[in-house]
Amino acid sequence: MAAPATKRRKLRHESEDGSALESEDTSMSRANPQEEQHAMSKAAPHKPHRTRPELPLQDGVYTAEVYKSNMFKLQVDELLEQVKFKYGKKVVPLENAMRTLKTLIEQFPNREPLPISEAEKLLRSQGVTVPFPSPRPPKDAKYRLEYAKPASINVTGSYALKVATRTEDVCSVDMVVVMPKSIFQEKDYLNYRYLYKRAYYLACVAAGLKNSSGSKFKLSFDCLNGSSLQPILIVDPSGDGGADDFSGSKCQVRILLAIPEGTFAEAKVRPTSNCIRPQDQSEGNATKALPPTPFYNATLQSDATMMPYLKLLHSASSKCDAFKDACVLGRIWLKQRGFGTRVRKGGFGNFEWAALMAILLHSKTGVGASPLSPGYSSYQLFKATLQFLAQHNLTKTPYVFQAGDVTIPKSTFAPILYDGPRNINLLYKMTQWSYTQLQAEAKASISTLGDSLADHFESTFIVKTNLLTYHYDAILRIPMASLELETESDSYEEAVLEKCRLLHSTIARALTDRITSLALLTPEEEPWKVGSAKPREDQRKSLFITIGTDPAFATRNIDLGPAAEDKQEAASFRKFWGEKAELRRFKDGSILESVVWTQKDASTSVLEQILRFVLSRHIGAGVAEMADFAYDTCSSLVHHGRIQGQSGVFPFTSRMNAFSSLEKDIRDFEGLPLQIRHIRAADPQLRYSSVDPESMKEPAALILQFEGSARWPDDLCAIQRTKVAFLLKITDLLAEEKPNYVARVGLENQSYPSQNQAYLDIILPTGFSFRLRIHHDREATLLERQLKDKSLDSQSREAAASGLAIYKRDFIQVPAHTQALQVLCTRFPALSPSIRLTKKWFATHLLLPHFSHELVELFVVNTFLQPHPWAIPSTATSGFTKTLLWLSRWDWRHTPLIVDFSTSVKQVAAEAEGPSSGTLSTEDIKTIQTRFEAWRRIDPGMNRVVLFAATNLDSDGTTWSDKGKPEKVMASRMTALARVATNALRRHEDKLLESLKGKELDEADTFRPGKLFSANVQDYDIVIRLSSKHTRSSKKKAEPKFKNLEMQQGPLAMEEKQNVGYNPAALLADDLRQIYGDAVIWFWNPDSVDVIAGLWNPVVTARRSWKVKPGWNSVPVSSQKKKEDEESGIDIELNKQAICNEIRRLGGDLILDIN
Amino acid sequence: MSSGKGQPTKKPKASPKAVSDFAILPLSLPTQSGLPADCANAKHYLYVKLHEPSHPDPNAERSLFLSNVPIDANETSIRALFTEQLGGSRVEQVDFDTAVPAIPNTKRYKADVVKGSNAQAGRKRKRDEEIVAEGVVEDEDSALPLIWPGELRTSGGCAVVVFVDRASCKGAWKEVRTAVKEGRDVKWEGGGVALGLQRYKQHHALTYPSKALLQSSINAYLSQFNRAETARNRLRLKQRSVPDEDGFVMVTRGGRSGPARLEEAEKKKVELEERRKKNGVKDDFYRFQTREKRKEAEMALKRNFEADRKKIEEMRARRGKVRVME
């Protein structure tokens, strides 16, 4: 909808409303098509124009460009309001404390320069151990350590910038003590000398604070950003309730050390230089050959740039109004994704975010405009920064900002964002995997925010993303002890990092394209007391390797290597795989190195086999043995739950083949009076979503439509009889042409003569059975006519209305839905197993009879089509758990479920009939929303429509959930159960994370996915146990023995053929439902009915005064208090005993007992 | 719930004998295995009174009205109850208000409603000549074979028992009251309807009737249908020509150009609208039009904003302050 060319005048905005009319003419002169676009941007979103972004209007309309949408902006506002740190009364003690600290530190006397050992001894006598970084300073060092009054003391960091948030557990306030230049020498940048002096200085500050009478703070050492080179002092509140006791504010003060700018020559500490010289070499001749020490240099520089960065951020926030808000948004985004400044948290945290934005704001290099402009709104800043992260691959092409003539070479491991003026690689703490992860997250968020239909506020900011359960498909837990590192060694840190790199590269090489993401999760260090040395790392901790898999390749059982001729490559391949490597000749004649894995052993997946193999080959046998691998843990709960080969629909292949051969058979008939238009599948079994793909108990529904003809009678009931005649005709033809098929016409819906009356069951020799119904499109017209016919009585018109709804559902929506799901299931390999797992969950909790299959399928499909903030699930478990999470958070009272199949499936939409089949547009969504709101207004008690689920194929939203299916109780129960399950998963995850920190996992803590699938029947009022002789489950157990025979020989026993579709237990359940109506709510598992449980509906069956038709079996009771206007004074109660008795009579030999 | 369980076991002796015009007849139920202990002496309470329908019914004076009928009651079992245990009055027929599966409800024209409500109860009566809105009033030949071996009642349903004459009705009523007064042990025998596994086995078998049976039923139906269709056409013809009490002639289908008219009319309407749009005055011809349009768009944006703001407020009221998930 482009704005018409004639509209060349500026639109007035609300803020100008008062004077708007008068200023009509003046505004004409300021004609500006761009501004017009802004106001109209709802209609024309995503017009890139960054030159004159308009500031958000006060109380006005927020445009898509500036703030995505009104809703988004309002929610962002609310969020900012909520998370921002409150600088109120609570911070008074904190400010006092900082003042105290500052005065104290300023008063410390200078200390004379001392040799290292003496200095250390002196401080130890004052109760402080100098936190020297490793390697420890050499004994024979000639330089001396000294303390002099600090050059300045400043508050810096997020607290000072006023961008701190309350979401952190502890808010740390950074106090920078700038050490005087005088205590350093020019060459101190070499060989840790600066760092030793720095450590001594810090220890002096600690000793001073500890021994001064004016402070009672608790002191401990920590490492700045987890880098042991830079110890810092943590000041925790004293807790004595004094004026400077800031316990109330959940804060801690971190005392950081900095050096004045220019203490060391800039050129010496560039990322390209070497600052750690080997001890046994003379300096002069070796300099050139020495490798650069970027991390060490950057560490030095980070101390030197503390104040410059503070200045930079201040100038950025004064230059750009929205800078601070964007910082807060960035903080939340990073926190929800588990990124932090600490080395082991990825090395990209709040500071890096803010600094990056500031740099991008100042950046004018390169072509075109700078990535950020000061006029941006907070959302634009946020999004553009993400965009920057997503677009640039900083590992391959470093981003250099105002570096002048400095050239930065590519690094092998880490990304580079070189900040020239401050001479530091901003991302020096990042590892290869943390950077890929950051980039992936940024990309995901950018694509999410690009969706113009929904605002995705929740998935961007609210949902915690780095949850192991949802974020990764597989987790490998490696106990630190198994890595056998020497904790005592000086180079322990290095060794850990080295091991991590090795693990990463080995696994990445071994798993090739099976995985989409690979990251290491390492435990964090904790602060230690000032009186003791830095503790060794606890070897009970463990290391996590998190893996995201590609469902299409994860379970492939062969890995192809280089061709045999390529000697070099082949040798390296053989070296990597050892005895596993085989030379194989393939069908196309090529001879390739390859590795083959087995799929026979169902308990260990291919992934696990590979991992254990490469771990033991390249890392150590102990590691392979002690490692714990969890992958797709729930998939074993359904048949063929694990994806096999490239597709998730593999177990359905034979049924689908049977269907197409049957379709061909029927199409080939020559004796049919009408041409067949199409035969469409309309059954979960034919859309890869029935729980047990091998079950032959239930026929799969098909819909047959003939070409139009005028010879059909123009009457609903007569049409049904004509259908029967057609079915009989097909039966005859089948008997002639395919005598080994069993075909029989069955009857249904006898209570509703104008609905479909008959179907044809066809049982193929292979045992697959199908149920064919005939679709005649005239029915819809006739029903609609009845609906409008004023001469009919109201009852008849109601019947017509419900008949029409059923017609539309069964003959139009179900086939369309089936087709859409067929496409989706082949597209997403994990969809089919996820749906089946989710259905199984619904079934074991006895909920499935109350939810239509299609509805449950939509829940899961939604998880796949709207996976934000995570990737599209690639295992059954991940699809299932994410669906549960979504269910537990779905506020169905106020939000409809809207699924747009066409986001991935264009062709289905094109083929399907009806006008509402295309991709959903904003208007469509609005219409659906309006319809939903209308339903809620008509039916606020939600007696008829509880869940509302619309798709692009069906904008009604009630097709799958009309007439109280499910009822409100059921929907609430679903939510409650999903919450319980999600919490259980979360608890398990917390336990896992504790094991990362070194806590032992108990046997009781191990997570058994089966737990999620165990129903508790104690909650029900009445539990009917069925005799196992007649339930489905018992038969199933007997089956596998013959399965192979059956598949080979084909024919089912005659008796079994007779029993296709016969499920007495389900029939009983259905009878019960009809008999007791509202009074009792029945629960059962349609897949294997062994228990039917019931709840008395307390609203309907409560004790009440006597009535002729209460709708339930009653027992009369004399009423306690006799009311005067009621002559009888008799109440009735539910006659539970008689009900049990009559159910027993009804069920007869089916029932084992009733409780 | 637990209190509810405890009470009735003690109650039976003290249980009331009558409510409004109803006598309360306790029926003792057969003992069965596999039930909780307190169900052993369970009683079913049948409420009985003389039939006093709101619409006059010729059978009313020889009928009794039952409420809270057991779910497995049918004509045979009710008949047996009266003939064997309640004085031996002879029952002509029993009409139940509910059935599982439900009795098909044929669509009717408004005029038939009164007639229909009377006739509804008994499905055996022949109404061959009655004109229904669709299909035909089926008889034994034209109806599809039944797929359930018998009907069940919904819980707490009612029934009207029609006796052979007025005297037997009176006798039965008297007998019921004496039984209630004396606290006589009347047993509910049930019977007459297949239950349990048998019911479902039979149902499964009945679902697939023989081809011959189906074919003959269809043939019968279609010939009856042709007759009914003619009758319906006659009725429509009549309606077209006869003015109603207000002097209006009802427009019904089946006129000059047949049933396709509605669709055609709609198509024409769309066509006309399109033509009007094409030839009509353009919306942005005059300056005031563009101005108004802009004003309108602006107002809409403002409205949307207000709506969104309200939505956020509602959301906040619902789930409290926004919280970042931990």
Side-chain angles (χ1 to χ4, degrees), chain B residues 5 19 51 86 108 112 156 173 252 264 295 306 323:
Chain B
K5 246 180 195 166
V19 58
H51 190 34
L86 292 168
R108 286 159 206 292
D112 295 336
W173 174 230
T252 55
E264 265 169 28
K295 222 182 271 175
E306 284 307 317
R323 286 187 59 135

Side-chain angles (χ1 to χ4, degrees), chain A residues 849-1114:
Chain A
H850 298 271
F851 291 82
S852 65
H853 282 267
E854 291 82 1
L855 193 60
V856 179
E857 285 153 20
L858 284 183
F859 294 160
V860 187
V861 167
N862 183 51
T863 315
F864 277 74
L865 294 179
Q866 309 252 324
H868 327 300
W870 297 291
I872 294 167
S874 49
T875 60
T877 311
S878 123
F880 165 64
T881 49
K882 281 176 199 168
T883 308
L884 279 189
L885 177 72
W886 179 80
L887 284 176
S888 74
R889 293 176 58 84
W890 183 26
D891 180 12
W892 39 263
R893 284 182 179 80
H894 303 102
T895 357
L897 164 64
I898 302 174
V899 177
D900 188 356
F901 292 121
S902 64
T903 45
S904 69
V905 202
K906 291 280 185 285
Q907 66 273 33
V908 167
E911 279 172 34
E913 295 160 41
S916 58
S917 57
T919 321
L920 286 178
S921 67
T922 321
E923 277 82 68
D924 294 335
I925 287 186
K926 218 178 243 171
T927 325
I928 291 171
Q929 187 72 34
T930 318
R931 193 165 288 155
F932 169 73
E933 277 156 20
W935 266 113
R936 286 292 181 258
R937 258 199 309 281
I938 299 169
D939 181 17
M942 287 183 270
N943 295 317
R944 186 161 164 198
V945 173
V946 182
L947 303 184
F948 186 97
T951 68
N952 57 319
L953 303 175
D954 158 37
S955 60
D956 288 351
T958 54
T959 309
W960 314 119
S961 56
D962 201 0
K963 308 237 165 114
K965 191 183 179 187
E967 288 171 54
K968 203 160 59 181
V969 218
M970 295 300 158
S972 312
R973 190 163 169 79
M974 167 191 85
T975 306
L977 285 168
R979 277 201 188 131
V980 170
T982 319
N983 290 343
L985 286 170
R986 192 58 198 271
R987 267 201 307 283
H988 167 63
E989 173 160 340
D990 291 345
K991 286 271 161 55
L992 266 185
L993 286 176
E994 275 173 26
S995 82
L996 186 77
K997 286 189 195 141
K999 200 175 164 256
E1000 294 283 316
L1001 273 178
D1002 302 341
E1003 200 46 36
D1005 294 338
T1006 47
F1007 174 67
R1008 278 185 303 277
K1011 265 193 209 161
L1012 298 180
F1013 289 82
S1014 62
N1016 186 4
V1017 287
Q1018 251 119 58
D1019 304 344
Y1020 301 99
D1021 291 337
I1022 174 168
V1023 176
I1024 308 171
R1025 285 202 301 137
L1026 301 186
S1027 136
S1028 60
K1029 243 195 298 181
H1030 307 294
T1031 57
R1032 280 283 173 85
S1033 52
S1034 67
K1035 281 182 192 163
K1036 218 178 261 169
K1037 266 167 207 140
E1039 232 175 23
K1041 248 197 288 180
F1042 308 113
K1043 185 136 275 159
N1044 292 340
L1045 284 175
E1046 198 179 86
M1047 296 302 270
Q1048 282 157 16
Q1049 294 172 352
L1052 294 173
M1054 202 54 214
E1055 190 207 1
E1056 275 184 80
K1057 280 191 184 171
Q1058 282 303 324
N1059 282 340
V1060 164
Y1062 173 50
N1063 188 355
L1067 290 170
L1068 171 67
D1070 213 46
D1071 263 349
L1072 288 176
R1073 191 143 80 162
Q1074 287 188 57
I1075 289 170
Y1076 293 101
D1078 289 345
V1080 191
I1081 304 160
W1082 297 103
F1083 300 80
W1084 70 95
N1085 173 353
D1087 292 323
S1088 63
V1089 196
D1090 40 14
V1091 164
I1092 302 177
L1095 278 178
W1096 317 124
N1097 183 344
V1099 185
V1100 179
T1101 62
R1103 180 181 174 137
R1104 51 156 300 142
S1105 58
W1106 192 84
K1107 183 183 173 188
V1108 180
K1109 286 185 185 178
W1112 35 272
N1113 191 347
S1114 60

Side-chain angles (χ1 to χ4, degrees), chain A residues 12 39 78 336 462 721 750-751 761 786 790-791 894 986 1058 1071 1075 1108 1114 1135 1144-1146 1154, chain B residues 33-34 43 47 67 72 102 107 110 134 138 142 145 188 196 199-200 204 208 298 301 318 324 326:
Chain A
R12 293 183 317 278
E78 197 191 347
Q336 296 303 64
I462 302 296
R721 303 302 166 113
Q750 292 213 314
S751 306
D761 275 0
Q786 284 184 356
K790 296 239 162 53
S791 67
H894 303 102
R986 192 58 198 271
Q1058 282 303 324
D1071 263 349
I1075 289 170
V1108 180
S1114 60
N1135 193 348
R1144 186 79 183 83
R1145 271 179 284 153
L1146 173 66
I1154 298 176
Chain B
S33 60
K43 290 236 182 332
Y47 310 96
S67 166
D72 51 347
K107 289 177 192 153
K110 263 181 194 155
E134 63 177 15
E138 293 161 12
S142 60
W188 174 251
R199 173 176 163 83
Y200 303 114
H204 187 67
Y208 303 98
E298 193 184 327
L301 283 179
R318 221 155 55 215
V324 175
E326 305 258 318

Side-chain angles (χ1 to χ4, degrees), chain A residues 263-291:
Chain A
T263 308
F264 303 120
E266 201 176 291
K268 298 290 183 190
V269 288
R270 280 198 185 126
T272 44
S273 350
N274 172 290
C275 292
I276 305 175
R277 309 281 153 80
Q279 278 158 355
D280 49 354
Q281 268 177 334
S282 56
E283 273 179 33
N285 52 11
T287 323
K288 273 210 168 147
L290 288 171

